[in-house]
Amino acid sequence: ITLSIAAVADAEELVTDLLKSSFAINNADAIDSYKELGLHIKRLKDTCWLVAESSYVDKVHRDSYYHYYSSKHSLNKRDCARISIFENEIKEEDFRDVEKRKEIADKYLGFIILRPTEPFFLGRSVISPRALKQNNFRVCKSTFESTAGGVKFRVNGFPHASQDTETMSCAETTLWAMMEYFSTRYAEYRPVLPSRIIQTLNRVSVERQIPSRGLSIPQISYAMREFGFGTRIYARSDFGDEFEKIISCYIESGIPVILAVDNHDDGGNIGHAIICIGRELI
């Protein structure tokens, strides 16, 4: 495991070097991939510092790897990389100084996992709103544990990941994030990994689940019900002007809502699932 530290202003060099060393991609592809990752990193405060670690075992990607990627007729890596975020400057020796444990714990603002699923590198992440330049909002948050430099930390945030388009489309990613949040906040729920989502939906699917072709609204609702929720589907076409009031009622109650959107009525063929977890401050 290698440890690299840099200010957020030097994030491009840090991340591209991490992509090349961890996932064996060439320099041009690493720079090109940073264009997407950099959009997220640019949202961080200028005072943030990044700690990059290679050879990280991520539970979500390992589950996808053993249930899908390992059987493909191509070389797929199973190890990920992790970028931890701190509020101010941090040095490698700080992780070994017991007297500085509380200080660096207060600086810890979350993590980003990079997985070897080119070009969709952005994996599981939890980032505190404190790390963002624009944080004038209220969102659902829970406490997540992680490590950096061999030291345990905690961060309050909401889980996020990009879709890898094979084991997890936007719908599966949404289901995973919902259960990750509720399982850390309430003892009544359990986290789910991609393989369990696939196994659950196999009961009602007429074809194989992977590579994923996305999920329908009834499939998303069925999975949430199987995971312990009493689901309800609302459609704008049915509720009209009341639709946004219904969403507001849930959001103001601190309940995350899965939103399914599409452009089919405009002649398009794209559907997408996202989570609404809060609102801007008024």
Side-chain angles (χ1 to χ4, degrees), residues 112-128:
I112 300 172
I113 304 297
L114 303 182
R115 63 192 177 207
T117 51
E118 189 178 2
F120 309 103
F121 288 110
L122 186 63
R124 182 172 63 96
S125 64
V126 179
I127 299 175
S128 169

Side-chain angles (χ1 to χ4, degrees), residues 6-235:
V8 73
D10 302 318
E12 182 171 2
E13 181 179 355
L14 177 77
V15 175
T16 53
D17 286 346
L18 186 63
L19 291 174
K20 290 186 290 183
S21 61
S22 297
F23 307 139
I25 65 174
N26 60 50
N27 186 64
D29 287 342
I31 294 174
D32 192 53
S33 296
Y34 183 78
K35 294 177 182 178
E36 178 72 21
L37 298 171
L39 295 176
H40 298 275
I41 294 175
K42 288 178 181 178
R43 295 189 176 100
L44 300 177
K45 291 179 179 178
D46 295 335
T47 55
C48 287
W49 279 64
L50 308 177
V51 177
E53 297 171 281
S54 62
S55 302
Y56 175 71
V57 178
D58 179 62
K59 61 180 181 180
V60 177
H61 179 68
R62 278 294 176 98
D63 180 80
S64 294
Y65 176 84
Y66 287 123
H67 285 88
Y68 176 69
Y69 288 109
S70 61
S71 63
K72 293 185 69 175
H73 294 292
S74 60
L75 182 61
N76 293 92
K77 295 181 178 295
R78 61 181 183 177
D79 287 345
C80 296
R82 177 174 57 188
I83 298 175
S84 300
I85 305 166
F86 291 84
E87 192 165 14
N88 291 300
E89 183 177 3
I90 191 165
K91 301 177 181 178
E92 186 171 352
E93 53 265 29
D94 292 343
F95 296 106
R96 303 291 170 259
D97 190 340
V98 176
E99 294 182 356
K100 288 191 176 183
R101 289 290 169 85
K102 186 181 185 305
E103 178 184 338
I104 61 175
D106 292 337
K107 292 181 179 181
Y108 186 71
L109 297 176
F111 61 90
I112 300 172
I113 304 297
L114 303 182
R115 63 192 177 207
T117 51
E118 189 178 2
F120 309 103
F121 288 110
L122 186 63
R124 182 172 63 96
S125 64
V126 179
I127 299 175
S128 169
R130 291 168 45 209
L132 305 177
K133 294 176 182 175
Q134 299 294 330
N135 57 11
N136 59 326
F137 51 77
R138 295 184 65 187
V139 295
C140 300
K141 293 181 291 184
S142 186
T143 301
F144 295 83
E145 294 185 346
S146 185
T147 63
V151 180
K152 290 184 178 181
F153 296 102
R154 290 185 175 185
V155 59
N156 291 319
F158 195 93
H160 170 267
S162 69
Q163 50 186 322
D164 64 18
T165 71
E166 294 196 71
T167 64
M168 295 179 72
S169 69
C170 58
E172 289 93 348
T173 304
T174 296
L175 291 170
W176 164 81
M178 286 285 275
M179 296 309 301
E180 194 79 356
Y181 166 74
F182 275 101
S183 64
T184 55
R185 191 167 179 83
Y186 305 104
E188 292 81 5
Y189 302 101
R190 296 173 55 193
V192 298
L193 294 172
S195 61
R196 189 183 169 202
I197 296 174
I198 293 166
Q199 291 166 3
T200 300
L201 291 169
N202 275 338
R203 305 168 193 165
V204 294
S205 178
V206 296
E207 61 179 6
R208 65 176 182 170
Q209 291 297 112
I210 50 175
S212 176
R213 298 177 65 179
L215 304 176
S216 66
I217 295 172
Q219 284 178 312
I220 296 173
S221 181
Y222 173 82
M224 290 300 294
R225 188 169 61 84
E226 290 295 294
F227 297 151
F229 291 88
T231 58
R232 178 72 71 182
I233 299 174
Y234 299 94

